[in-house]
């Protein structure tokens, strides 16, 4: 009985801390300070995706890689300088992340109409949502008011972003470390219904693993030689690579997951049931994906007087 009071206090403290963060992020944050912010982001994203369909997946991935490294704070956008090391050269990001020019374009427009008001972190969160919508996926309400970090962590980027080689248990743990459940992980993995993967990230799967459709392996090998071509890319969903739908899960049921980590969601384990549901119920996938994106987007934001509003997303003020 003696230990009950400290535990209760700890739970209450966590509740109020969580409530405080939630209260500081609001859906109408820019309604008065920059009323055209969301429209500006949306139109720029739509234009970018119309020019290059692949850009939708790239912008979604930027937000994911931002949030998984010390929270959704825009740190992924910071360039290296002689005195500052950012996250762009970390293995999961190097020669892989793209879309920075679109974010730069959005930021430049917003600085023109409401200087130093809209954060780069918020731009990433809204651009991710608008990218999914532009490719036929669901929408969700993005809470706003994140501020931008003045630091970055190369080590955290190396260690915290889930690797494509992870098994189901490690995938689940990686997401759990960010406050995301196993169910959230399975839903968020559906982002791989769009986008491309580099040969270096699936070479071992197509040449060494047996739980892969032979026709898919043969197709992927044609663009991914055994020893060369690390940066050659192939779609994560060959059926509808530029449509946000549930074909990712349909593919998994047929052993057509491109990455090792993808196929882990249907490989005789605890994720099989949810993956099967999503393969036949796209509405359920859309609902769960949207909810998980909101949850991920609220990961450890800087709010209030913490951080800053960068004038240029690539460097601190």
């Amino acid at each position: 009985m003696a230990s009950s009071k400290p535990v209760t206090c700890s739970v209450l403290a966590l509740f109020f801390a969580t409530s405080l963060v939630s209260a500081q992020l609001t859906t109408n944050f820019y309604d008065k300070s920059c009323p055209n912010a969301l429209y500006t982001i949306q139109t720029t994203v739509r234009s970018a995706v119309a020019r290059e369909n692949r850009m939708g997946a790239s912008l979604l991935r930027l937000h994911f890689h931002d949030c998984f490294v010390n929270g959704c704070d825009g740190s992924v956008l910071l360039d290296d300088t002689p005195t500052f090391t950012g996250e762009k050269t970390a293995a999961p990001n190097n020669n892989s992340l793209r879309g920075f020019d679109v974010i730069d374009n959005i930021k430049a427009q917003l600085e023109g109409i409401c200087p130093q008001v809209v954060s780069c972190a918020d731009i990433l969160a809204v651009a991710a949502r608008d990218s999914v919508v532009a490719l036929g996926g669901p929408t969700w309400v993005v809470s706003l008011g994140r501020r931008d970090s003045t630091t970055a962590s190369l080590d955290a980027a190396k260690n915290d972003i889930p690797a494509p080689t992870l098994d189901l248990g490690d995938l689940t743990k990686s997401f759990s470390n960010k406050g995301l459940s196993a169910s959230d992980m399975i839903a968020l993995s559906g982002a791989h219904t769009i986008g491309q993967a580099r040969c270096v990230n699936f070479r071992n799967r197509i040449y060494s693993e047996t739980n892969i459709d032979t026709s898919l392996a043969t197709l992927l090998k044609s663009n991914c030689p055994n020893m060369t071509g690390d940066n050659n890319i192939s779609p994560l969903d060959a059926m509808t690579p530029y449509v946000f739908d549930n074909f990712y899960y349909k593919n998994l049921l047929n052993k057509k997951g491109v990455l090792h980590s993808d196929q882990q969601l249907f490989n005789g384990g605890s994720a099989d049931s949810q993956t099967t549901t999503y393969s036949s119920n796209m509405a359920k996938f859309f609902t769960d994906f949207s909810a998980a994106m909101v949850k991920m987007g609220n990961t450890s934001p800087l709010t209030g007087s913490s951080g800053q509003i960068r004038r240029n997303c690539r460097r601190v003020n």
Side-chain angles (χ1 to χ4, degrees), residues 11-52:
V11 169
L12 286 174
L14 178 61
F15 171 78
F16 286 120
T18 304
S19 298
L20 183 61
V21 169
S22 299
Q24 290 173 328
L25 291 182
T26 65
T27 59
N28 61 350
F29 192 83
Y30 297 115
D31 282 6
K32 293 182 179 179
S33 60
C34 193
N36 287 324
L38 296 185
Y39 176 76
T40 301
I41 298 171
Q42 180 191 67
T43 54
T44 307
V45 167
R46 281 183 177 176
S47 177
V49 174
R51 283 195 307 272
E52 183 196 12

Side-chain angles (χ1 to χ4, degrees), residues 25 28 34 54 58 62 73 83 90 119 122 127 130 133 139 142 152 184 218 220 236 262 279-280 285 294:
L25 291 182
N28 61 350
C34 193
R54 184 187 171 200
S58 299
L62 272 181
D73 60 3
T83 58
S119 69
D122 275 349
D130 292 345
V133 172
T139 190
V142 179
D184 294 329
T218 299
L220 293 173
L236 287 160
D262 288 334
S279 74
S280 60
F285 163 51
V294 170

